[in-house]
């Protein structure tokens, strides 16, 4: 190792290995960022579809003849198309970045379940208000 010029190839090999490790780490980081972005888009579209389904349930109770519709959100839209008598296709699009399609079958059971849940929540709210009035406040 004491020969002249032997240090240069060693340094070159060391720098080559370090640059390969740095590029590999950079690539892993980029992939993780892209995965995070795609996961975020997926959950946003999924949330939009769930909210559109709830809105469709409410509108379907009022008018059973609904054919098409659009639910607009700040981050995208959900297009609703009727496929069969009580089957709808919801297509959520997130500002032309990500899209997901969901097929929903509306049955009287679903609307009844929603009514029961809403009734339970209303009763719980009333009970909470009554309890607040009954319980004395201590300081």
């Amino acid at each position: 190792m004491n020969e002249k010029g032997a240090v240069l190839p060693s340094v070159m090999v060391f720098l080559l290995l370090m640059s390969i490790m740095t590029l590999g780490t950079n690539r892993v980081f980029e992939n993780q960022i892209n995965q995070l972005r795609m996961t975020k888009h997926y959950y946003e579209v999924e949330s939009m579809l769930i909210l559109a389904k709830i809105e469709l349930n409410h509108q379907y109770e009022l008018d059973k003849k609904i054919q098409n519709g659009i639910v607009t959100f700040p981050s995208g839209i959900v297009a609703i198309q009727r496929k069969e008598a009580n089957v709808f296709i919801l297509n959520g699009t997130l500002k032309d970045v990500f899209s997901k399609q969901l097929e929903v079958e509306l049955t009287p059971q679903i609307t009844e379940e929603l009514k029961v849940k809403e009734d339970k929540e209303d009763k719980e709210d009333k009970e909470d208000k009554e309890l607040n009035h009954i319980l004395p406040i201590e300081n």
Side-chain angles (χ1 to χ4, degrees):
M1 268 309 200
N2 291 334
E3 296 178 19
K4 289 185 177 181
V7 174
L8 182 62
S10 299
V11 170
M12 296 288 282
V13 168
F14 177 74
L15 289 177
L16 178 68
L17 291 175
M18 289 300 291
S19 63
I20 289 173
M21 285 179 39
T22 304
L23 290 174
T25 304
N26 187 27
R27 187 69 182 164
V28 167
F29 180 73
E30 286 176 2
N31 288 338
Q32 287 180 343
I33 294 295
N34 286 334
Q35 181 66 32
L36 177 66
R37 189 176 299 123
M38 291 301 291
T39 303
K40 179 183 171 198
H41 293 324
Y42 173 81
Y43 283 118
E44 282 185 63
V45 170
E46 189 71 24
S47 298
M48 289 177 5
L49 289 171
I50 290 170
L51 291 172
K53 180 182 175 183
I54 291 170
E55 182 63 27
L56 178 61
N57 279 330
H58 289 296
Q59 294 299 322
Y60 189 72
E61 285 179 15
L62 300 174
D63 183 15
K64 304 258 190 242
K65 298 178 183 178
I66 296 175
Q67 293 297 321
N68 296 324
I70 294 178
V71 182
T72 305
F73 295 94
S75 58
I77 62 169
V78 175
I80 301 169
Q81 294 178 337
R82 188 176 213 143
K83 184 177 178 182
E84 294 174 12
N86 58 349
V87 176
F88 292 87
I89 295 176
L90 283 72
N91 189 9
T93 305
L94 186 65
K95 292 186 180 178
D96 297 328
V97 176
F98 188 80
S99 180
K100 183 179 178 192
Q101 191 171 2
L102 178 67
E103 189 171 308
V104 177
E105 182 176 355
L106 299 179
T107 60
Q109 180 183 6
I110 291 175
T111 54
E112 288 299 320
E113 288 175 2
L114 287 173
K115 284 182 185 177
V116 169
K117 285 181 183 177
E118 288 174 357
D119 291 341
K120 285 182 182 177
E121 289 174 358
D122 290 340
K123 287 180 183 176
E124 288 174 358
D125 289 341
K126 288 179 184 177
E127 289 173 1
D128 288 342
K129 288 178 184 176
E130 290 173 5
L131 287 176
N132 287 337
H133 294 293
I134 294 172
L135 296 175
I137 299 174
E138 296 181 12
N139 290 332

